[in-house]
Amino acid sequence: GAVVSQHPSWVICKSGTSVKIECRSLDFQATTMFWYRQFPKQSLMLMATSNEGSKATYEQGVEKDKFLINHASLTLSTLTVTSAHPEDSSFYICSARDVGQWATDTQYFGPGTRLTVL
Amino acid sequence: AQSVTQLGSHVSVSEGALVLLRCNYSSSVPPYLFWYVQYPNQGLQLLLKYTTGATLVKGINGFEAEFKKSETSFHLTKPSAHMSDAAEYFCAVTNSGGYNKLIFGAGTRLAVHP
């Protein structure tokens, strides 16, 4: 149980284009999902908290117009990197908090999406 | 503010040896503590967590961790390392009470040698 999927697992795009990454909780409902960015050999950096049916909450320094987040259902959140540039190349990981385990703050992580912007 | 410190960015052990990965936290309220493992180019997998109750927590793959409030520590151990344990390990903390963000440590890369 507690499986989170991400699609695509890797994507290569040209500079200036937009890329959408999907995060799905497969066997549980998640009112809250999180988007992280991870640079090589570093820890995870929280970008934003995605709440079902409401606007995402972005961490300081994260451009909300650059990284659009939509949490349309209890099992799906999407991250769209708009007008991507090479500096946006990174490993993006989502996590989902099981609504049934909200009291323990347990997050389950997706496998990540490797974005390369040429 | 909460924080997590993982002592040792790299730990190397021989196969069959004890694994000890150190984690100290700072929190003004009772914490919830987690250990995650990350294999190359993959997401994070939950190894174990402490919320309340028994301070010695057993997780998957033979790992366990002990919450020591007096030492503000949550060190991860495994009696006998296996080659497949080689990975990056992250300790994380959040406040008790739900709906809080995870604060991650910098991570410890575990290497296991034959």
Side-chain angles (χ1 to χ4, degrees):
Chain A
V3 178
V4 177
S5 70
Q6 274 184 250
H7 179 80
S9 55
W10 58 270
V11 56
I12 301 174
C13 69
K14 293 182 179 180
S15 185
T17 61
S18 294
V19 174
K20 180 185 285 188
I21 303 170
E22 293 186 350
C23 177
R24 293 181 185 272
S25 57
L26 298 185
D27 51 3
F28 65 97
Q29 293 184 327
T31 54
T32 304
M33 292 184 173
F34 302 86
W35 288 96
Y36 296 84
R37 185 171 179 177
Q38 186 178 34
F39 293 101
K41 302 185 187 302
Q42 293 188 28
S43 189
L44 280 71
M45 181 191 78
L46 179 64
M47 299 174 65
T49 301
S50 169
N51 298 295
E52 187 267 336
S54 64
K55 291 184 178 180
T57 302
Y58 291 82
E59 294 301 299
Q60 190 172 8
V62 177
E63 300 176 59
K64 60 181 180 181
D65 295 329
K66 174 77 170 175
F67 299 99
L68 300 179
I69 291 172
N70 183 272
H71 193 155
S73 76
L74 288 173
T75 59
L76 173 64
S77 176
T78 60
L79 168 68
T80 301
V81 183
T82 63
S83 186
H85 291 283
E87 58 266 30
D88 299 324
S89 298
S90 191
F91 194 53
Y92 292 87
I93 306 175
C94 73
S95 71
R97 184 156 53 199
D98 187 344
V99 69
Q101 297 190 49
W102 69 270
T104 62
D105 273 334
T106 303
Q107 294 183 27
Y108 298 97
F109 286 79
T113 296
R114 174 77 58 193
L115 170 63
T116 301
V117 184
L118 301 177
Chain B
Q2 293 177 301
S3 65
V4 176
T5 302
Q6 290 184 239
L7 296 175
S9 58
H10 291 81
V11 171
S12 181
V13 300
S14 299
E15 190 173 20
L18 170 71
V19 175
L20 171 61
L21 304 182
R22 299 179 186 274
C23 173
N24 287 89
Y25 69 91
S26 172
S27 178
S28 58
V29 296
Y32 288 168
L33 295 156
F34 304 81
W35 275 101
Y36 286 90
V37 61
Q38 184 181 33
Y39 297 98
N41 297 309
Q42 295 186 29
L44 275 65
Q45 181 182 12
L46 179 66
L47 277 178
L48 49 79
K49 64 183 179 184
Y50 168 80
T51 54
T52 58
T55 56
L56 181 62
V57 181
K58 296 186 183 298
I60 62 172
N61 302 339
F63 285 94
E64 62 181 38
E66 186 171 12
F67 169 59
K68 292 187 176 181
K69 183 178 179 181
S70 61
E71 299 178 8
T72 60
S73 69
F74 191 57
H75 301 329
L76 182 70
T77 60
K78 182 174 180 178
S80 177
H82 193 272
M83 297 295 287
S84 61
D85 295 327
E88 187 85 21
Y89 291 80
F90 293 97
C91 181
V93 65
T94 187
N95 283 332
S96 57
Y99 297 114
N100 292 295
K101 297 181 287 190
L102 279 175
I103 306 299
F104 283 93
T108 297
R109 182 167 298 276
L110 175 67
V112 182
H113 300 287

